[in-house]
Amino acid sequence: MCGIVGYVGPQQATPILIAGLRRLEYRGYDSAGIAVVGPRGTQVLRCQGKLAGLEAMIAREPPEGTLGIGHTRWATHGRPSEANAHPHKAGGVSVIHNGIIENYLPLRARLQAAGRKFASETDTEIVAHLIDEALLAGAPSLVEALRVALRQVHGAYALVAISEKHPGQIVAAKNASPLVVGLGQGETFLASDVPAMLEHTREVIFLDEGDVVAVTAEGATLSDLDGKPLARPVRTITWDAAQAEKGGYPHFMLKEIFEQPRAIADTLRGRLLLEAHDADLEGFEIDPRGLRRVLLLACGTSYHAGLIGKFLIEGAARIPCEVDLASEFRYRDPVVGPEDLVIVISQSGETADTLAAVKEARARGARVLAISNVVDSAIPRASNGVLYTHAGPEIGVASTKCFTAQLAALALIAIHMGRRSGQLGPEAATKLVGELALTPTKMTEALEGLGDLKQLAREYRYARDFLFIGRGTNYPIALEGALKLKEISYIHAEGYAAGEMKHGPIALIDDGVPVVVLAPRGPGYEKVLSNLAEVRARNGHIIGIGTQGDAQLAGLCDRVLSIPDAPAALQPFLTVLPLQLMSYAIAVAKGNDVDQPRNLAKSVTVE
Ligand code: F6R
């Protein structure tokens, strides 16, 4: 997830671009850059790190010109560095991009064979070359050259390009990454999100998938990939800038909950191989045949993802998995060695305990694969390989979209290992790959169906204790539901394996203790219903999480929150959603600071 801005009009572009990027810093902040076209040709300034670094460069040599583009980066391909910062240039063409070009490696090889030199490790730079190549081959306009380039790339993009030989215009295209045009008086703007332009205009056009646009100071001309003219409605934005940054949501956490289908789709993109029924781990090959076991290490919510990873990997590859808290592993003289694969999971990539666990495992000879959302952070750097989740920056302290993106990464690893172990046959692999590909759509359906849960929150906000119970893949979700509620609503909550209730926790049940029962249809369903009956018999209040249309469950619960049907291995992607929304709604009903709960920090770099 990156931030994009563009400006053409009568004013100096640089201050407008910088103010826009400042508003988009929440989308990424590991490097930034601008390209401005003026009397001195195209001036490109780029800087690793936060925007302040770029501003200092601009103060030293302010670029002049009334047309420009700017970018704030959240690295996906290529580490955060000045060379990988956007804009990328080829010939007279400069390009900025938000998204992932899946087929950039073969395209890069073809362009290199044609004699083109690359200055970065990014997928974006190939687009600058493709546009330049099309112009040299006689494309009649910049927008047509962009179309020629787009016909060659697969993936997700919001792309914006300018060319020294085509002054006065900016061209852009959208597919699966956001892009908005802002219409001013004699000036036009482009951005990934409306906050970047709200100071200047409230009249905007939200581009749709496959839209291509040519922008001048006079306005925007829209067309499709074949050049057929398009019309899109002009909308008037009524949000203030702070609301707009949260996409109109009152909190980042809620925005991030609703971003999950996109985060999963981006994490699977280019890696889930539908036709080969396989998963590509971007160069990290795992040969399960020589492995003794897999060890999954993490803290907090990421540890819960690890618990689900055990089900996924054991289910697909039949290799024993152990899951451990990184903070425990590192201090217990662990039995680990070269015959083990260690998978460490850390959203921030900086958690001190997880980093220490990586060092411990490597010192004992194990190979370590990291799953992280932050490119080039300490944990991926200390590991042998990394599979990045593409959730985009998570601002809310309570992790939501990074958790489900971690599950997507673990599912990819499971498929990869299953195929190579010979345990996941072609038929089962086709089924799993197909179901995983459907997951983002099912998540959207679930989120749309659940509503805002305000009424439920009003009923339960004064509860002193909450219990969450589930079985199989939904036991870790019970733990995660309890953690979410504790973190942001400050209500005491416990997660239990449903079968454990009668071994102790059932003593806690009395009139009115809310018990969240994870009971989607699938293996263990009947058993969970028996556990539910035990709670009911003791007058607990039951909130059931069940499969859409399950009348039997509805008859046994005080409230039911429904999700679409899914195979057991992939149910956690869906069952966690009502729990995230419920914790959020209760925290809001209690008036708590949802995005920055007390005593917590987004990355825990102390032991
Ligand atoms: C809970 C939460 C924490 C983190 C934990 C590990 O919502 O965010 O429990 O999961 O601090 O953090 P990472 O994944 O950054 O290593």
Side-chain angles (χ1 to χ4, degrees):
M1 199 157 105
C2 303
I4 280 180
V5 290
Y7 173 77
V8 50
Q11 305 187 58
Q12 281 300 312
T14 303
I16 293 174
L17 297 176
I18 293 297
L21 290 179
R22 184 73 49 244
R23 285 280 175 207
L24 296 181
E25 243 190 332
Y26 74 92
R27 299 180 64 82
Y29 37 73
D30 63 44
S31 52
I34 57 170
V36 174
V37 184
R40 286 183 272 164
T42 307
Q43 281 174 276
V44 177
L45 293 180
R46 303 182 303 176
C47 182
Q48 184 183 344
K50 297 212 171 180
L51 206 51
L54 181 67
E55 285 176 300
M57 284 175 91
I58 287 170
R60 287 194 295 276
E61 77 182 287
E64 260 180 68
T66 57
L67 179 150
I69 57 178
H71 188 267
T72 175
R73 180 165 186 249
W74 177 257
T76 56
H77 288 75
R79 57 173 47 204
S81 66
E82 189 186 326
N84 289 335
H86 302 210
H88 292 284
K89 232 179 148 214
V93 175
S94 300
V95 169
I96 53 178
H97 167 219
N98 169 30
I100 300 162
I101 306 292
E102 286 172 23
N103 58 335
Y104 83 105
L105 285 174
L107 285 171
R108 189 178 163 113
R110 176 182 74 66
L111 289 160
Q112 275 170 330
R116 289 186 170 260
K117 299 264 176 294
F118 284 81
S120 78
E121 302 159 321
T122 64
D123 51 343
T124 305
E125 195 182 353
I126 60 128
V127 181
H129 281 280
L130 291 174
I131 297 175
D132 184 52
E133 187 183 58
L135 287 172
L136 292 176
S141 63
L142 184 58
V143 73
E144 192 44 42
L146 173 63
R147 282 195 196 97
V148 172
L150 294 177
R151 283 183 205 119
Q152 299 173 69
V153 302
H154 311 307
Y157 50 77
L159 277 163
V160 179
I162 55 176
S163 158
E164 282 166 359
K165 303 207 181 76
H166 300 81
Q169 63 170 306
I170 307 176
V171 295
K174 170 190 156 53
N175 185 41
S177 297
L179 197 58
V180 192
V181 178
L183 303 171
Q185 299 295 325
E187 55 187 357
T188 311
F189 306 80
L190 275 164
S192 322
D193 205 352
V194 285
M197 53 179 78
L198 272 188
E199 251 181 71
H200 308 282
T201 180
R202 288 182 170 272
E203 305 297 302
V204 305
I205 301 170
F206 290 97
L207 297 190
D208 218 330
E209 306 317 338
D211 287 4
V212 175
V213 64
V215 161
T216 64
E218 283 71 49
T221 310
L222 274 77
S223 55
D224 67 11
L225 258 182
D226 301 321
K228 205 168 99 221
L230 287 173
R232 299 264 175 246
V234 177
R235 302 194 188 278
T236 305
I237 298 292
T238 52
W239 303 328
D240 64 29
Q243 277 174 320
E245 218 162 86
K246 293 174 187 148
Y249 291 99
H251 298 96
F252 279 109
M253 183 182 173
L254 190 61
K255 174 170 180 264
E256 287 159 5
I257 289 174
F258 278 87
E259 274 175 356
Q260 289 179 102
R262 197 267 315 140
I264 307 310
D266 282 355
T267 301
L268 298 178
R269 181 167 290 114
R271 296 159 165 178
L272 187 64
L273 309 175
L274 286 169
E275 278 162 26
H277 328 303
D278 201 355
D280 175 2
L281 305 185
E282 296 185 340
F284 193 91
E285 269 300 313
I286 305 173
D287 182 359
R289 286 164 304 185
L291 282 183
R292 174 171 63 176
R293 62 171 180 173
V294 175
L295 253 165
L296 294 134
L297 306 176
C299 299
T301 287
S302 300
Y303 170 73
H304 298 154
L307 292 172
I308 295 163
K310 174 181 163 76
F311 280 89
L312 292 167
I313 295 170
E314 287 188 346
R318 309 305 300 158
I319 305 271
C321 294
E322 270 178 45
V323 194
D324 210 344
L325 292 162
S327 54
E328 289 295 313
F329 171 84
R330 58 180 293 204
Y331 289 118
R332 67 171 168 77
D333 192 11
V335 181
V336 59
E339 49 294 289
D340 299 317
L341 172 70
V342 171
I343 301 177
V344 288
I345 310 166
S346 174
Q347 166 275 127
S348 62
E350 300 289 346
T351 300
D353 283 318
T354 313
L355 179 58
V358 172
K359 291 181 180 161
E360 183 70 37
R362 288 203 65 185
R364 291 171 188 247
R367 194 164 169 240
V368 179
L369 171 63
I371 295 176
S372 178
N373 197 46
V374 181
V375 171
D376 219 26
S377 48
I379 289 169
R381 279 204 312 267
S383 303
N384 298 90
V386 56
L387 190 62
Y388 287 113
T389 49
H390 292 153
E394 193 175 64
I395 312 281
V397 164
S399 187
T400 53
K401 64 176 179 173
C402 283
F403 172 70
T404 43
Q406 288 166 350
L407 298 185
L410 287 161
L412 289 169
I413 294 171
I415 292 167
H416 179 94
M417 289 180 67
R419 297 300 284 145
R420 278 146 198 80
S421 68
Q423 295 289 336
L424 188 67
E427 213 175 293
T430 310
K431 213 164 158 221
L432 184 56
V433 165
E435 283 289 347
L436 192 55
L438 281 177
T439 301
T441 311
K442 289 190 185 179
M443 292 172 89
T444 304
E445 194 190 327
L447 288 166
E448 282 170 1
L450 284 162
D452 63 15
L453 305 188
K454 273 192 190 142
Q455 179 54 35
L456 182 142
R458 270 196 288 275
E459 281 170 41
Y460 291 103
R461 74 186 140 156
Y462 298 118
R464 232 190 38 199
D465 307 287
F466 249 89
L467 287 180
F468 292 75
I469 61 172
R471 280 176 179 260
T473 51
N474 284 307
Y475 163 47
I477 294 299
L479 298 177
E480 175 60 8
L483 177 60
K484 285 284 94 76
L485 192 68
K486 283 186 267 209
E487 280 182 293
I488 58 171
S489 75
Y490 316 142
I491 294 176
H492 169 247
E494 299 286 348
Y496 282 104
E500 279 292 295
M501 284 299 284
K502 55 187 167 300
H503 298 292
I506 201 155
L508 292 172
I509 310 288
D510 61 16
D511 277 354
V513 171
V515 183
V516 178
V517 182
L518 289 141
R521 282 201 185 276
Y525 172 74
E526 302 293 341
K527 293 251 180 302
V528 174
L529 290 199
S530 311
N531 302 131
L532 188 159
E534 291 156 15
V535 175
R536 244 177 101 79
R538 288 155 184 87
N539 292 332
H541 257 262
I542 297 170
I543 303 168
I545 311 297
T547 308
Q548 281 162 0
D550 185 346
Q552 187 185 2
L553 181 70
L556 297 170
C557 299
D558 295 280
R559 293 290 292 261
V560 172
L561 304 176
S562 297
I563 49 151
D565 194 19
L570 304 182
Q571 279 173 1
F573 286 96
L574 301 166
T575 46
V576 77
L577 302 176
L579 306 194
Q580 293 170 342
L581 282 172
M582 187 181 82
S583 303
Y584 170 80
I586 293 178
V588 171
K590 293 183 79 170
N592 294 353
D593 184 344
V594 172
D595 284 333
Q596 291 179 331
R598 69 187 183 203
N599 306 339
L600 297 177
K602 190 69 192 157
S603 43
V604 185
T605 50
V606 291
E607 294 180 15

